[in-house]
Structures are given as structure tokens and as C-alpha cells.
Amino acid sequence: NTTLYVTLEPCCHYGKTPPCTDIIIEKGIKKVVVGLLDPNPLVSGKGISILQNAGIEVVTGVEEDKIRELNKVFLKYIKTKRPYVILKTAMTLDGKIASYTGDSKWITNEKSRELVHKLRSQMMGIVAGIGTGKSDDPMLNCRLAGQQLSSAVSMRQPIRIIVDTKASIPMESRIVRTAKEYRTILAVGNSQSLVGDLELLKSFNVEILHCEEKDGHVDINDLMMKLGAIGIDSLLLEGGSSLNAAFLESGSVDEVYAFIAPKIIGGEHSKSPTGGKGIQLMKDAIVLNDIEVEQIENDILIKGRVV
């Protein structure tokens, strides 16, 4: 005899759990308020019909916009089978991600970096290119103490994905040496130009993902489809300028987190967040909307969705 409020339409099929509709009917709930219809074709509208046919009052369309934001990863993945991608970049006031020598530690302040690690814990995978892998020798793990995470966020280590067309990652890199501790995927091309020892990499527990190539590099669209096919529903892209450009050009980026530090380093050869050829006309620029601006001590964070 109670009213049940749910963000998403109750499921009516067997998946990881039995149908939610069955237990709602069994328990005698008299009214169900549904925020959002489930886009999954196995459910869409069917869950509501089953409840209504059982004599349960159903109200739909409550707080839809907020619930779409809450479920943005699920909604994209269930419709496209491709991961939701957040491109994160940190730059100086003059738009540089490193000095001309390649030094980038650290552009942003400690609070901004803590927020990035929290983001890492929320996303299923983290992506970087082999350029970053060689120049920075990163760990690409989440290094937040448990007490720094809210109770709603569990400490989850992201799957590390390195885009490395020729499989040239050094065996002594921290990524390879810690692959038995953190799940690691190396996305390589399918050509005969591979230079790495794939069997040796596998012995370190590195998973090899063969992808189609485009212009001599891993095809990002093929990579996204293959990652989606193995169940990876969300990615934090922490690439260099080339990989960021490739993801943007392929239309694979959903959201951008741009951290801007009040520093100026100059240098015409210092890299910016996105490389590649770039656009010819301003009317062709990639546009963000739903903009949010946040100050993190002396840094500025600009968040927005790719139109």
C-alpha cells in the first residue's frame, strides 16, 4: 500500500537480477512514480505496461533532466554500446599543457589534482596515448585516500588503456610493471609494423586489443566499439594533444573538463591540449554547451558537453 519512487523504469526481464516488476507486484505496492523510461529495448515501456496491467498506478516523467544527468553513462552505453567519454585537460592561462621541454608537473594545484583522482575512481577506464606513456611514465591509477571519497563513491581503480599503435611501450615502464596489480589494456594496430613483443607483454598481464588503423594510427571509432563490446561503459581521456584531437575528430568525446591555472609559460613549440590539423574556419569549431565554471583555489575548472 505504499508509493515507490524510482529514477528509471523498473525492468521486466532477467539480467543480473530477476525482473523488478515481479517483486513490485508481489509486495502489493499501489503506486509507482518513474522518473525516466528505460531506453533499453528489452524494457522500454514494457515495465510500465506490466505494472499498469497488474492494477498499479504509474506516474512518469518526473525530474527527467536531472535523472538523465545522473544516468548519462548508462543512457549512452545502452543506446550505442560505446563508452561515455570525458576529456580532461590541464592547461596554463596561455593554453599550454607543458613547457617546450615537455615538463608538465605540475600545472594545476593539489585540490584540482584531487578532483581528477576522484573522477578516475568514478569512470570505468582511463585512456592515454603512448606519447604520454613514454614522456611521463605515469601510473594512471586512483591515488585518493578512502576518507577523501564521499560515502557515495567507492574506491574503484580504473582500467588503464594505452593507445599504442606499434606496441612500442617500454617493458620497464610503470604501466607494464604494475599490470598484474591494475587491469591494463594496450590498444595496438593490426598492421605488420608492430615493434613490441606481444607475448612478453601478455606475460606481464597486459591485455592486447587489436584495432583497425586510420592514417597509420589506431582508429578511435573502432577502439570505442571494441571497448564497448567488452563492457567498458565510461572513459576518462587524459591524452596528449594528438590523442585528444583524434578523439574529438572522431566525435567520441561527450564532455570536457578543462582545468586552467593562472600561469603563463609561453613558447611557440609548447603543446596545446589538442593537436592534429585543426579546423579551417571558426564556424567549424567544436562547441560546448551546458557550461559550468568552478574556482578551485586559484585554478578555474570549465565543464561542458560537446554539442
Side-chain angles (χ1 to χ4, degrees), residues 180-203:
K180 291 181 178 177
E181 185 179 356
Y182 305 105
R183 186 180 175 190
T184 303
I185 296 173
L186 197 70
V188 303
N190 58 3
S191 69
Q192 302 302 310
S193 60
L194 299 180
V195 298
D197 186 334
L198 299 188
E199 292 307 313
L200 183 55
L201 285 165
K202 289 177 185 177
S203 73

mmCIF file of all heavy atoms in Angstrom, residues 180-203:
data_model
loop_
_atom_site.group_PDB
_atom_site.id
_atom_site.type_symbol
_atom_site.label_atom_id
_atom_site.label_comp_id
_atom_site.label_asym_id
_atom_site.label_seq_id
_atom_site.Cartn_x
_atom_site.Cartn_y
_atom_site.Cartn_z
ATOM 1 N N LYS A 180 49.906 -6.417 -13.342
ATOM 2 C CA LYS A 180 49.319 -7.500 -12.540
ATOM 3 C C LYS A 180 48.534 -6.941 -11.351
ATOM 4 O O LYS A 180 47.720 -7.638 -10.756
ATOM 5 C CB LYS A 180 50.401 -8.456 -12.059
ATOM 6 C CG LYS A 180 51.012 -9.277 -13.197
ATOM 7 C CD LYS A 180 52.067 -10.254 -12.741
ATOM 8 C CE LYS A 180 52.593 -11.056 -13.928
ATOM 9 N NZ LYS A 180 53.686 -11.974 -13.552
ATOM 10 N N GLU A 181 48.781 -5.687 -11.039
ATOM 11 C CA GLU A 181 48.074 -5.029 -9.935
ATOM 12 C C GLU A 181 46.846 -4.263 -10.430
ATOM 13 O O GLU A 181 45.818 -4.220 -9.752
ATOM 14 C CB GLU A 181 49.030 -4.081 -9.222
ATOM 15 C CG GLU A 181 48.465 -3.424 -7.990
ATOM 16 C CD GLU A 181 49.480 -2.515 -7.305
ATOM 17 O OE1 GLU A 181 50.647 -2.457 -7.746
ATOM 18 O OE2 GLU A 181 49.084 -1.856 -6.324
ATOM 19 N N TYR A 182 46.961 -3.647 -11.611
ATOM 20 C CA TYR A 182 45.873 -2.868 -12.198
ATOM 21 C C TYR A 182 45.594 -3.390 -13.606
ATOM 22 O O TYR A 182 46.524 -3.532 -14.403
ATOM 23 C CB TYR A 182 46.247 -1.383 -12.294
ATOM 24 C CG TYR A 182 46.678 -0.755 -10.996
ATOM 25 C CD1 TYR A 182 48.021 -0.482 -10.744
ATOM 26 C CD2 TYR A 182 45.741 -0.432 -10.016
ATOM 27 C CE1 TYR A 182 48.423 0.108 -9.560
ATOM 28 C CE2 TYR A 182 46.135 0.157 -8.830
ATOM 29 C CZ TYR A 182 47.479 0.418 -8.598
ATOM 30 O OH TYR A 182 47.874 0.995 -7.425
ATOM 31 N N ARG A 183 44.336 -3.669 -13.879
ATOM 32 C CA ARG A 183 44.000 -4.175 -15.215
ATOM 33 C C ARG A 183 44.452 -3.172 -16.279
ATOM 34 O O ARG A 183 44.169 -1.976 -16.177
ATOM 35 C CB ARG A 183 42.495 -4.429 -15.337
ATOM 36 C CG ARG A 183 42.123 -5.084 -16.666
ATOM 37 C CD ARG A 183 40.639 -5.344 -16.786
ATOM 38 N NE ARG A 183 40.311 -5.864 -18.107
ATOM 39 C CZ ARG A 183 39.086 -6.005 -18.576
ATOM 40 N NH1 ARG A 183 38.035 -5.676 -17.828
ATOM 41 N NH2 ARG A 183 38.895 -6.481 -19.792
ATOM 42 N N THR A 184 45.167 -3.676 -17.281
ATOM 43 C CA THR A 184 45.790 -2.821 -18.287
ATOM 44 C C THR A 184 45.529 -3.368 -19.681
ATOM 45 O O THR A 184 45.731 -4.555 -19.933
ATOM 46 C CB THR A 184 47.315 -2.734 -18.043
ATOM 47 O OG1 THR A 184 47.546 -2.246 -16.708
ATOM 48 C CG2 THR A 184 47.980 -1.815 -19.040
ATOM 49 N N ILE A 185 45.064 -2.496 -20.573
ATOM 50 C CA ILE A 185 44.797 -2.874 -21.963
ATOM 51 C C ILE A 185 45.679 -2.027 -22.873
ATOM 52 O O ILE A 185 45.742 -0.803 -22.739
ATOM 53 C CB ILE A 185 43.317 -2.648 -22.323
ATOM 54 C CG1 ILE A 185 42.419 -3.560 -21.479
ATOM 55 C CG2 ILE A 185 43.075 -2.889 -23.812
ATOM 56 C CD1 ILE A 185 40.927 -3.284 -21.634
ATOM 57 N N LEU A 186 46.372 -2.680 -23.794
ATOM 58 C CA LEU A 186 47.183 -1.984 -24.791
ATOM 59 C C LEU A 186 46.452 -2.080 -26.126
ATOM 60 O O LEU A 186 46.278 -3.172 -26.667
ATOM 61 C CB LEU A 186 48.575 -2.618 -24.890
ATOM 62 C CG LEU A 186 49.651 -1.778 -25.578
ATOM 63 C CD1 LEU A 186 50.024 -0.574 -24.704
ATOM 64 C CD2 LEU A 186 50.893 -2.601 -25.877
ATOM 65 N N ALA A 187 45.994 -0.934 -26.636
ATOM 66 C CA ALA A 187 45.286 -0.905 -27.915
ATOM 67 C C ALA A 187 46.320 -0.712 -29.021
ATOM 68 O O ALA A 187 46.967 0.337 -29.100
ATOM 69 C CB ALA A 187 44.263 0.222 -27.933
ATOM 70 N N VAL A 188 46.499 -1.741 -29.845
ATOM 71 C CA VAL A 188 47.519 -1.706 -30.894
ATOM 72 C C VAL A 188 46.857 -1.791 -32.260
ATOM 73 O O VAL A 188 45.687 -2.152 -32.391
ATOM 74 C CB VAL A 188 48.530 -2.866 -30.724
ATOM 75 C CG1 VAL A 188 49.183 -2.803 -29.345
ATOM 76 C CG2 VAL A 188 47.854 -4.223 -30.939
ATOM 77 N N GLY A 189 47.636 -1.469 -33.294
ATOM 78 C CA GLY A 189 47.129 -1.553 -34.649
ATOM 79 C C GLY A 189 47.131 -2.982 -35.160
ATOM 80 O O GLY A 189 47.607 -3.903 -34.492
ATOM 81 N N ASN A 190 46.633 -3.166 -36.362
ATOM 82 C CA ASN A 190 46.560 -4.505 -36.941
ATOM 83 C C ASN A 190 47.522 -4.690 -38.103
ATOM 84 O O ASN A 190 47.413 -5.638 -38.872
ATOM 85 C CB ASN A 190 45.130 -4.820 -37.407
ATOM 86 C CG ASN A 190 44.631 -3.812 -38.434
ATOM 87 O OD1 ASN A 190 45.370 -2.909 -38.843
ATOM 88 N ND2 ASN A 190 43.384 -3.967 -38.862
ATOM 89 N N SER A 191 48.466 -3.766 -38.230
ATOM 90 C CA SER A 191 49.417 -3.846 -39.338
ATOM 91 C C SER A 191 50.614 -4.697 -38.946
ATOM 92 O O SER A 191 50.714 -5.201 -37.826
ATOM 93 C CB SER A 191 49.886 -2.443 -39.731
ATOM 94 O OG SER A 191 50.702 -1.903 -38.706
ATOM 95 N N GLN A 192 51.521 -4.827 -39.890
ATOM 96 C CA GLN A 192 52.733 -5.615 -39.641
ATOM 97 C C GLN A 192 53.846 -4.765 -39.034
ATOM 98 O O GLN A 192 54.969 -5.235 -38.910
ATOM 99 C CB GLN A 192 53.217 -6.234 -40.968
ATOM 100 C CG GLN A 192 52.197 -7.127 -41.648
ATOM 101 C CD GLN A 192 51.751 -8.274 -40.765
ATOM 102 O OE1 GLN A 192 52.584 -8.985 -40.198
ATOM 103 N NE2 GLN A 192 50.442 -8.448 -40.619
ATOM 104 N N SER A 193 53.526 -3.529 -38.643
ATOM 105 C CA SER A 193 54.570 -2.619 -38.165
ATOM 106 C C SER A 193 54.736 -2.640 -36.650
ATOM 107 O O SER A 193 55.374 -1.761 -36.079
ATOM 108 C CB SER A 193 54.266 -1.190 -38.626
ATOM 109 O OG SER A 193 53.014 -0.763 -38.115
ATOM 110 N N LEU A 194 54.144 -3.637 -35.978
ATOM 111 C CA LEU A 194 54.288 -3.719 -34.530
ATOM 112 C C LEU A 194 55.742 -3.989 -34.179
ATOM 113 O O LEU A 194 56.400 -4.844 -34.774
ATOM 114 C CB LEU A 194 53.406 -4.838 -33.971
ATOM 115 C CG LEU A 194 51.890 -4.711 -34.204
ATOM 116 C CD1 LEU A 194 51.161 -5.888 -33.585
ATOM 117 C CD2 LEU A 194 51.360 -3.413 -33.647
ATOM 118 N N VAL A 195 56.244 -3.237 -33.195
ATOM 119 C CA VAL A 195 57.647 -3.395 -32.804
ATOM 120 C C VAL A 195 57.795 -4.073 -31.448
ATOM 121 O O VAL A 195 58.884 -4.518 -31.078
ATOM 122 C CB VAL A 195 58.373 -2.024 -32.786
ATOM 123 C CG1 VAL A 195 58.362 -1.403 -34.171
ATOM 124 C CG2 VAL A 195 57.734 -1.079 -31.769
ATOM 125 N N GLY A 196 56.717 -4.155 -30.694
ATOM 126 C CA GLY A 196 56.788 -4.733 -29.359
ATOM 127 C C GLY A 196 56.627 -6.245 -29.366
ATOM 128 O O GLY A 196 56.154 -6.841 -30.334
ATOM 129 N N ASP A 197 57.030 -6.847 -28.282
ATOM 130 C CA ASP A 197 56.895 -8.295 -28.094
ATOM 131 C C ASP A 197 55.563 -8.547 -27.385
ATOM 132 O O ASP A 197 55.471 -8.422 -26.158
ATOM 133 C CB ASP A 197 58.077 -8.815 -27.261
ATOM 134 C CG ASP A 197 58.092 -10.330 -27.143
ATOM 135 O OD1 ASP A 197 57.008 -10.954 -27.242
ATOM 136 O OD2 ASP A 197 59.178 -10.891 -26.930
ATOM 137 N N LEU A 198 54.543 -8.892 -28.159
ATOM 138 C CA LEU A 198 53.205 -9.030 -27.587
ATOM 139 C C LEU A 198 53.136 -10.156 -26.563
ATOM 140 O O LEU A 198 52.441 -10.037 -25.543
ATOM 141 C CB LEU A 198 52.173 -9.264 -28.694
ATOM 142 C CG LEU A 198 52.025 -8.150 -29.732
ATOM 143 C CD1 LEU A 198 50.831 -8.433 -30.640
ATOM 144 C CD2 LEU A 198 51.860 -6.786 -29.076
ATOM 145 N N GLU A 199 53.833 -11.246 -26.817
ATOM 146 C CA GLU A 199 53.799 -12.369 -25.875
ATOM 147 C C GLU A 199 54.455 -11.991 -24.557
ATOM 148 O O GLU A 199 53.994 -12.384 -23.484
ATOM 149 C CB GLU A 199 54.479 -13.596 -26.489
ATOM 150 C CG GLU A 199 53.728 -14.202 -27.661
ATOM 151 C CD GLU A 199 52.274 -14.511 -27.324
ATOM 152 O OE1 GLU A 199 52.017 -15.107 -26.253
ATOM 153 O OE2 GLU A 199 51.383 -14.140 -28.128
ATOM 154 N N LEU A 200 55.536 -11.214 -24.632
ATOM 155 C CA LEU A 200 56.197 -10.772 -23.402
ATOM 156 C C LEU A 200 55.281 -9.815 -22.634
ATOM 157 O O LEU A 200 55.167 -9.903 -21.400
ATOM 158 C CB LEU A 200 57.524 -10.087 -23.729
ATOM 159 C CG LEU A 200 58.380 -9.636 -22.529
ATOM 160 C CD1 LEU A 200 58.662 -10.807 -21.582
ATOM 161 C CD2 LEU A 200 59.679 -8.997 -23.009
ATOM 162 N N LEU A 201 54.603 -8.930 -23.352
ATOM 163 C CA LEU A 201 53.663 -8.019 -22.703
ATOM 164 C C LEU A 201 52.550 -8.797 -22.011
ATOM 165 O O LEU A 201 52.154 -8.486 -20.889
ATOM 166 C CB LEU A 201 53.064 -7.054 -23.731
ATOM 167 C CG LEU A 201 53.983 -5.923 -24.200
ATOM 168 C CD1 LEU A 201 53.430 -5.261 -25.453
ATOM 169 C CD2 LEU A 201 54.182 -4.888 -23.095
ATOM 170 N N LYS A 202 52.054 -9.842 -22.667
ATOM 171 C CA LYS A 202 50.998 -10.669 -22.071
ATOM 172 C C LYS A 202 51.486 -11.358 -20.807
ATOM 173 O O LYS A 202 50.715 -11.562 -19.860
ATOM 174 C CB LYS A 202 50.512 -11.707 -23.081
ATOM 175 C CG LYS A 202 49.703 -11.128 -24.226
ATOM 176 C CD LYS A 202 49.327 -12.222 -25.231
ATOM 177 C CE LYS A 202 48.619 -11.655 -26.450
ATOM 178 N NZ LYS A 202 48.330 -12.718 -27.455
ATOM 179 N N SER A 203 52.784 -11.705 -20.777
ATOM 180 C CA SER A 203 53.326 -12.365 -19.579
ATOM 181 C C SER A 203 53.327 -11.426 -18.381
ATOM 182 O O SER A 203 53.343 -11.866 -17.232
ATOM 183 C CB SER A 203 54.746 -12.875 -19.850
ATOM 184 O OG SER A 203 55.680 -11.803 -19.901
#
